[in-house]
Every structure is written in C-alpha cells, then in structure tokens.
Amino acid sequence: MGTLTCSIFVDNLEIENSLSEYLDKMHSISSFDCISNKFELLEKMQQNQCDILFIEECEYDILHHILLPPFVIGIGNTQEFSVHSTIFDILKIPLLEQNLCEVMSKILRIANAYRFPYRKLYEDSDIVSDTTANYQTLDMENNDYQMFIKIGKKQHRLVFDQILYIKNVGNTLKICLKGNENLYYRSTLKKMFNLLPPGLFARINKSVVVNYKEIESFQNQKVWIQNESFNVSRIYIVRLRELLRVR
C-alpha cells in the first residue's frame, strides 16, 4: 500500500498536537508537518509537496489561491461541504481519533485505487474493485487507435484521438468529436470507458469521460475543453492530477 504526506495549517495548538499525535500512529502516513503562515502554505501547495491538507475553517479563503489543492480536510463546526468546493471532508471540533480514522480510510481507499494501475473504483462508490481494467497501449500498427461502434444499422469508425469527451445523456452517450461533430451511442459510460485506451482518457465524474490530452486549463475541481467546463469529482482528482503530470 502506498504512503501519503500531510500538512497541518491550524492556529489552535491543541488541535495541532492532537492531529500530530494521531497521524504519528498511522503507518500509511510517511510524514507530516505543521505550517505556520499563509505564505508558507501557498509555497508548499504550489510545489505540490503534500497529499493531504488539514485546515481550520477560519482559513478557508486561502484555498481560492491554491490552483491544484490536495485532499483538503476542513476542521471546524460548519458541516456544509458547499462552503468550499475543494474540501474533501470535515472534522468537527472536538477532534476525535475515531472521526479522523474514518476520513483517512476514505482517502486511502481512493489513493490506493488510483496509484495501483490494476485496481479501479466502482462506478457509483469509492469501493475498490478487485477486477482488472481493460488497460492497453495505443498501437498504431495494430489499429488500437480506433474501433467501430454500431449506431442505428451502421457501424461507425471511432478514432480515439478525435474524441474530446463522452457524456452520459439519459440512456445514451454523447460522443463529442473534434470539428463540432457529435455521435449518439446507446451504451453505459462504464462499458464505454473500459473499451477506451487509458493513455488518452480519464473519468472525471459519474457522467463524463474526457480525452485528458485535450484539456486546456484546470483549476481546483474543474477542467476546460474548448471553452466547455466540467466538474471533477473528489474521487477522481488524484488520478487526473497524475495523468496531467501536475507539479
């Protein structure tokens, strides 16, 4: 199992000491540090030096200045996740070891699912599947860069690198291609995703798969492809950052 690094940005010494004590017991945490000011936090986040950030709710405003935040764990009494879109989970004060363990368990399931290539998440949950995905590489000579799909009575050739994104629309998939062309294919997103080469595509939420090489910009939990924006779910953000080689 992989290990994670943590940073703690809190002003309350009691909370800082409790977190440090609990994290020190976890074998899955390779290291953690305590950040003293906002400038140090911004510098560390810019260099992508940690996997998990613990931050007090009174400091949430700083998150707007972090382009690609890690797993963010808020600490406070506000239980609304809508306070900030980058917050993965919230620990309520007083800080309890059991609550921290539950949050860390969620993160570890997600992180390990994406860091080991032959494991993946189920479509509608963060439970790790033991089955192997249809991983393959693009082999132009063996025609692995395309496939045929049946639409109506005809077989249509689908060239992978021409796909911008695939979106679930009801019980139909909208396949958006370069050149403003759309195809509508009757299938589930999960089945379609397993047929696509991982060297080009990434799942970003329950309804959308994107050609990540066509992503033009990326901020917090949102990506843009040809001026169209898509939200990235928290469970997919780690894998997407790895694919984009975000530093």
Side-chain angles (χ1 to χ4, degrees):
M1 183 174 71
T3 58
L4 302 173
T5 60
C6 301
S7 291
I8 301 171
F9 184 49
V10 297
D11 191 44
N12 187 307
L13 185 59
E14 183 179 352
I15 293 176
E16 180 180 305
N17 290 337
S18 295
L19 274 174
S20 299
E21 178 184 350
Y22 298 152
L23 292 173
D24 195 45
K25 298 177 183 179
M26 297 183 179
H27 297 294
S28 56
I29 303 301
S30 60
S31 64
F32 63 88
D33 62 355
C34 298
I35 297 176
S36 59
N37 59 71
K38 294 182 179 181
F39 297 105
E40 182 184 354
L41 174 64
L42 289 173
E43 184 178 44
K44 191 176 185 68
M45 293 300 104
Q46 186 177 13
Q47 297 173 1
N48 192 27
Q49 292 182 358
C50 78
D51 300 304
I52 304 170
L53 171 64
F54 294 91
I55 184 170
E56 280 185 289
E57 63 180 354
C58 60
E59 302 289 357
Y60 283 170
D61 286 347
I62 194 68
L63 296 175
H64 293 286
H65 302 287
I66 300 175
L67 181 60
L68 294 171
F71 286 105
V72 178
I73 309 301
I75 299 174
N77 293 312
T78 302
Q79 291 295 296
E80 293 296 329
F81 288 91
S82 59
V83 169
H84 198 282
S85 61
T86 62
I87 296 175
F88 176 79
D89 213 329
I90 295 174
L91 290 172
K92 194 172 182 179
I93 299 173
L95 192 63
L96 301 178
E97 185 173 8
Q98 180 180 350
N99 295 340
L100 175 62
C101 287
E102 290 175 356
V103 172
M104 294 299 294
S105 178
K106 295 178 189 177
I107 293 176
L108 288 170
R109 285 201 300 270
I110 294 169
N112 285 315
Y114 282 125
R115 288 186 175 185
F116 295 94
Y118 294 106
R119 301 173 74 189
K120 61 178 182 175
L121 297 182
Y122 280 116
E123 184 169 4
D124 297 321
S125 71
D126 60 351
I127 301 175
V128 176
S129 169
D130 292 327
T131 60
T132 58
N134 182 26
Y135 285 96
Q136 56 183 332
T137 57
L138 289 180
D139 187 340
M140 302 300 281
E141 294 182 358
N142 292 329
N143 292 324
D144 285 343
Y145 66 97
Q146 66 179 22
M147 69 177 182
F148 281 84
I149 57 175
K150 188 176 182 180
I151 300 177
K153 296 182 179 181
K154 293 183 179 181
Q155 294 284 346
H156 289 254
R157 185 174 67 167
L158 188 61
V159 180
F160 293 137
D161 64 6
Q162 293 300 305
I163 300 173
L164 295 176
Y165 64 85
I166 301 173
K167 184 176 183 179
N168 187 47
V169 183
N171 58 358
T172 302
L173 298 179
K174 175 186 176 182
I175 305 173
C176 183
L177 306 173
K178 296 178 182 178
N180 296 320
E181 180 183 358
N182 296 325
L183 296 176
Y184 293 88
Y185 177 52
R186 293 291 295 272
S187 180
T188 66
L189 194 62
K190 184 177 181 180
K191 290 180 180 178
M192 187 68 181
F193 183 50
N194 285 336
L195 296 175
L196 299 171
L200 280 178
F201 296 93
R203 187 78 175 266
I204 61 169
N205 59 48
K206 291 172 61 176
S207 302
V208 178
V209 166
V210 300
N211 181 343
Y212 67 84
K213 293 188 177 181
E214 295 297 325
I215 292 176
E216 297 172 349
S217 56
F218 181 14
Q219 183 176 7
N220 294 334
Q221 289 179 249
K222 185 168 288 190
V223 297
W224 282 263
I225 297 178
Q226 291 196 354
N227 297 321
E228 189 164 358
S229 63
F230 302 94
N231 292 323
V232 183
S233 297
R234 289 191 294 267
I235 64 171
Y236 297 111
I237 195 71
V238 173
R239 178 56 175 163
L240 185 61
R241 290 176 63 176
E242 290 179 353
L243 291 172
L244 295 177
R245 297 181 180 180
V246 173
R247 295 295 180 263

